[in-house]
Amino acid sequence: MKVLGIVSEARDLNQFASFIKCIPATQSISKHIKGYSFGELKEAKLVSLGRMEVLGIVSEARELSQAHTAPVMDHSPPFLATYKSLFDGQQAIDTDTEVVECCDLPLIDLSRLNDVLEAAQCKQDIVTAASEWGFFQIVSHGIPDGLLARLREEQVQMFRQPFKQKTSEKLLDFDDDSYRWGTPTATSLKHLSWSEAYHIPLSSSNKPATSSTIRCVIEELSLAMTQLANQLVDTLAEGLGRDGTYMKENCTRNMCYLRLNRYPPCPIPAQVFGLVPHTDSDFLTILCQDEVIGLQLKKGGRWFTVRPNPNTLVINIGDLFQAWSNGLYKSVEHRVMSNPHLERFSVAYFMCPSNETVIESSAQPGTYRKFSFGEYRQQVQQDVRRMGHKVGLTRLRHHFHLCSPAPLPTPFFFLLQTKKSLFLHMAASPVTAVWNARTSHASFYLPPVGLQVDERESPTVPQPSTAAPDTTAFYAQDSGEEASTTQLAADRMIQPRDAIYAADDVELRQTKRAARSSSTIPDWRGRRCKPGKQLPFSPHCLQLMVLKQQLVRQLMEVCRHLYRITLGRTRLMVWTCRLKPMAATPRVLDRMLGRRSYVIASQQPSPARSKQALDLHGLCSAAQVPTIMQLTGQIATEIGLQGSGGRSSCQRPVALDFWKQSRTPRKELSMEKGLVRLIFVACIYFGLSHFKIGGSI
Ligand SMILES: O=C(O)CCC(=O)C(=O)O
Ligand SMILES: [Fe+2]
């Protein structure tokens, strides 16, 4: 039996059965549910149906039963009458051509945090979900089901009051304007939210208690939510190598908000959203939604419908956390679709700081400038008034291309393959990149794949270039989304000619096959040459093929972050010394980099070397050394390396036996190890939150 694919709030078959009983036997429902008579529906109870199907029918049944039994009460806001002018000549919101898939959010069981063996992994899962999705769902969250159910009951009752009463009467002694509906600023249908809400500042929840149930429930819930939010914030801050105290101190319970949402059935769902696409302007949101489908989020440029999971709470990262984490945690755009048949309820708890709280990125220079919450809030309100929508964090981005010309050239990222290895480099030119690879290793090593580069062409030591940057290259979109190769190329975060050419296995195999079957292949100048002949070095050779799309994505993510910090005119060079004669001795580095680049990890801690490395560590702020050491040590342990790093009290340099790995026969270097190295670099980067990084070649 095919049903409409709508999930209702009916929790089980018993509830379903009671709905069915509500429908008078004479009622024909065929005009409501395509092709099914009431008789058939009744039988549906008896046949074994998938739960979704049953719930689908119930949804309809419930509406019918409500329509039939409840006196007509005008509790829904007069959307059609009020926004009438917006409907004339309006197109459907352009979502109907989109294929929106359903997704399950990463599910995290918070009880694992109390298990010694599981806690670290659980924290990591939270950090990963916040970085990759910006959304996740939690179970064992400590908020009693009964409390949530009581709140839902009260919420339904509040919204069931006649519309006039909702607009004219103050809700208990909460703020006057706590009731909202529609979108007062809407100038087009796509700005209109087909929903109503009570927006309740929790500062008012601890006013002299009344005996009202709703006040008691809100009071109780807000305490539990605050506790939960603090727990999550601690974990997320820890993931950034920071401490959650700042956030907890600034986001006290009375700064936070509770929002009770109701999405009434909407007769024109193709033309209007339940809640327009937005990001939340807070640090963190805890959402309790019912079983009616509607919430959607944007991931990788596509919208996904979040499958409701009645036993979980949904957590999403807000703008402030994205800024504070310098873009590591994503404040993801989301929206609620309106539903022609069903009403939907949700409750959101917004973790907000006081207006005076200053939000500063965890990395300096950060992607976003320093701002206060009050300032941000005002800007958002102003944008909504003027443009009908929020601009959000993009306003706070450093747009360096608008600043005075940079004295340094635009940095490039290179995936460079020598005969021996493949490296990710950031350098001023391909020549520099090759030179880096030959002398010391910037960044990290990847398993070699794709084209070969002839190293015979020996580049000279490059001089710092004074050329003005290509300003377009500084353009970076604040999508907060997963980076894709094309997106990055489109954003010009990487110059097209230096973009990494991503190919999946199939494409690579085809290229190789074509090369084998042809007697000649074109070199980078387009001249034919024998396959197997090493191609002369060229910028084209840098467009290497990388086997796994996934690897590329990770790589891009790292590039993106590396790129971001270059926006502040400083460059990050993550060096690991090889200590080969001409390579990374401090003297050579100084000469080469003009003391603008620092060694942050070195090789074995032989006494001489550790002295050297200590000196180099001395270039960063002393306070940062333990953090860096701790981070690199953690990673070292993860990779399974024996290093002396990781002891924060240790005054010795981080000693990752990093190069031992790259000397292992190439075949043994798995993709995973490549990934671990990527993560290694990313971690070093994130760990360097206050580290003044500099240097360019
Ligand atoms: O109702 C929902 O599922 C989402 C609500 C929401 O995004 C909000 O209130 O900011
Ligand atoms: Fe939201």
Side-chain angles (χ1 to χ4, degrees), residues 96-261:
D96 47 355
T97 49
E98 285 173 45
V99 180
V100 180
E101 285 168 46
C102 246
C103 71
D104 290 300
L105 295 176
L107 178 66
I108 291 163
D109 181 346
L110 290 191
S111 65
R112 288 164 64 213
L113 287 174
N114 305 322
D115 181 330
V116 192
L117 296 176
E118 292 271 349
Q121 188 55 49
C122 180
K123 286 180 183 176
Q124 187 53 51
D125 291 348
I126 293 174
V127 166
T128 307
S131 334
E132 289 178 4
W133 286 76
F135 267 79
F136 52 96
Q137 47 181 336
I138 52 172
V139 283
S140 310
H141 40 66
I143 306 212
D145 288 347
L147 181 57
L148 293 170
R150 267 158 59 211
L151 179 69
R152 181 56 45 82
E153 261 170 43
E154 295 294 331
Q155 180 182 10
V156 172
Q157 266 185 36
M158 280 158 74
F159 284 114
R160 288 278 179 271
Q161 297 177 92
F163 173 69
K164 276 217 173 97
Q165 204 168 318
K166 287 187 279 193
T167 46
S168 58
E169 278 180 16
K170 215 167 138 177
L171 171 70
L172 302 171
D173 47 358
F174 292 130
D175 279 5
D176 288 340
D177 61 351
S178 66
Y179 177 72
R180 289 140 196 222
W181 69 279
T183 316
T185 50
T187 51
S188 103
L189 269 194
K190 68 174 192 290
H191 297 146
L192 175 61
S193 293
W194 194 276
S195 50
E196 54 180 338
Y198 283 99
H199 194 79
I200 304 168
L202 293 176
S203 51
S204 50
S205 77
N206 47 10
K207 282 188 191 159
T210 66
S211 55
S212 97
T213 328
I214 178 72
R215 182 167 276 296
C216 295
V217 174
I218 288 178
E219 173 77 10
E220 205 178 320
L221 186 88
S222 69
L223 280 171
M225 288 283 196
T226 307
Q227 221 173 4
L228 173 61
N230 285 348
Q231 187 183 23
L232 291 166
V233 154
D234 275 338
T235 304
L236 288 162
E238 199 182 316
L240 299 167
R242 295 180 81 172
D243 175 341
T245 313
Y246 151 89
M247 223 174 282
K248 286 186 290 189
E249 279 175 2
N250 287 300
C251 305
T252 50
R253 182 168 69 116
N254 56 3
M255 295 298 152
C256 301
Y257 293 85
L258 203 63
R259 194 181 154 98
L260 312 179
N261 294 311

